[in-house]
Each structure stands twice: as C-alpha cells, then as structure tokens.
Amino acid sequence: MKDASLNSSSYLIGYARVSKGDEQSNATQRRALDGAGCRRVFEETASGGRWDRPNLQEMIGQLREGDVVVVWKLDRLSRSLKDLLHIMERIQLAGAGFRSLTEAIDTTTAAGRMMMQMVGSFAEFERAMIRERTSAGLAQARAEGRIGGRRRKLGDKQCREIAESVVSGRKSGAEMARLYGVSEPTVSRIVAAYRQGVEVGATCTR
C-alpha cells in the first residue's frame, strides 16, 4: 500500500456528525472542514455509538488510495474506541489517510501513524486485561462451588439429608424446602439426582 502523504493530488473528504436530538448543527464542523480544503463533506445526524451509519458507510465505500478523511474532532467519527479503531482500519485498508483537526492527529505522517498504533495497543491491552479478569473470576467461582456465577445455597451434606429424608418418606419435599429455605423445584432436582445416582451437590442452588 502506498503512503497516503498529503500532496497536491490528495483528495480531502470531510465527515461531519451531530447526534439526534442535539440542538447544535453541522455548521461549525462544515466551516472547519471547508477551511481545511475538503472537496466533499459527508454530513450525518446519528449517534456516535452506532457503526452502521449510512453516510459513514457510503464515505468509506467510496474511498480510494491517496484520499484523506478529515473530521473536526475525533468523537465525530465515533464515541466508541472499539468502533473508532475498526473505522480507522477500514480507512487504512482503502489506502487512505485520516486527519482530526482539533486533536491534530494526522495518519499521513509518521508521528500520526505511531499515535494511532499506540491507541490500538492500549485498547488491545485493555481487552486482554478484561479477558484475564473474567477468566480469573470464573476460576474463583468454580473453586467456591458456584455454578453460572451463583453461590451454592446448600452444601453436599445438606443435599444428601434432603434427598434421603424425602426418599425414605420421613419428610415431604415441601417440608424440606421450608426447613432449608430453598424452593420446592430445587428439592425435586436434588431428589431426582439422588435417585439416579448422580452427585446431588451440583443441584444445590436456589
């Protein structure tokens, strides 16, 4: 892919967006984009958290190598870091560059490309940390005998007492449910597992 450095043949394409319900208009953005030399500006009224914005999709679909997408502020392109990086990747794959006038980000320069790479690296680091915390939480839940994130209501010994009392006829299911503070369906599952020779502890949740 050729470098999308700005030169006399670069085609600057502006993108302006305001959210639905906002009192502001695209006028300020449009003036800034026109002043930057944009030959065409795609304007949109939509939430910055949505990726499937029609004018944004149309703009990306029309990008050619050497084009440069220009926005007034970075959040005009997207308020979501994940979507922002995805949009930036689409722009890069088209062989185009990107400029944000307010933040002075310009991927047509080496410094600008390095900055976006750093942002992407931090985002990937954050995703990796979230995955690690999730895995650690699930491992801790399994170690504590929780299933599906819920703490067990009864221990194995209590489950066996419930099952043996009901099966022997000493107590009814309703009585054991009231005694141990669980629901009758839970008692029914414990008893059914006991009769089938299955470990009853796995059924001991509310």
Side-chain angles (χ1 to χ4, degrees), residues 17-29:
R17 180 193 63 78
V18 294
S19 298
K20 289 183 177 180
D22 281 358
E23 295 182 359
Q24 63 178 323
S25 69
N26 283 329
T28 300
Q29 299 177 57

Side-chain angles (χ1 to χ4, degrees), residues 152-167 176-177 180 182-206:
R152 287 177 55 178
K153 178 68 176 178
L154 304 170
D156 292 347
K157 182 179 178 181
Q158 293 171 310
C159 288
R160 284 193 295 272
E161 289 175 354
I162 289 173
E164 291 170 358
S165 296
V166 175
V167 170
M176 296 307 290
Y180 285 96
V182 296
S183 65
E184 290 188 42
T186 294
V187 171
S188 297
R189 289 196 298 272
I190 293 171
V191 173
Y194 180 83
R195 284 173 170 161
Q196 295 171 12
V198 177
E199 172 56 50
V200 294
T203 64
C204 293
T205 54
R206 182 179 294 276

Side-chain angles (χ1 to χ4, degrees), residues 26 32 36 38 58 61 76-77 83 85-87 102 104 114 119 129 155 158 160 163 166 179 191 197:
N26 283 329
C38 292
E58 181 183 359
R76 297 304 87 194
L77 197 61
D83 286 344
L85 294 174
H86 179 63
I87 295 169
T102 302
M114 182 180 70
V119 171
M129 292 296 293
Q158 293 171 310
R160 284 193 295 272
V166 175
L179 180 62
V191 173

Side-chain angles (χ1 to χ4, degrees), residues 83-95:
D83 286 344
L84 175 62
L85 294 174
H86 179 63
I87 295 169
M88 295 297 296
E89 184 179 11
R90 291 283 303 277
I91 292 173
Q92 182 181 25
L93 288 174

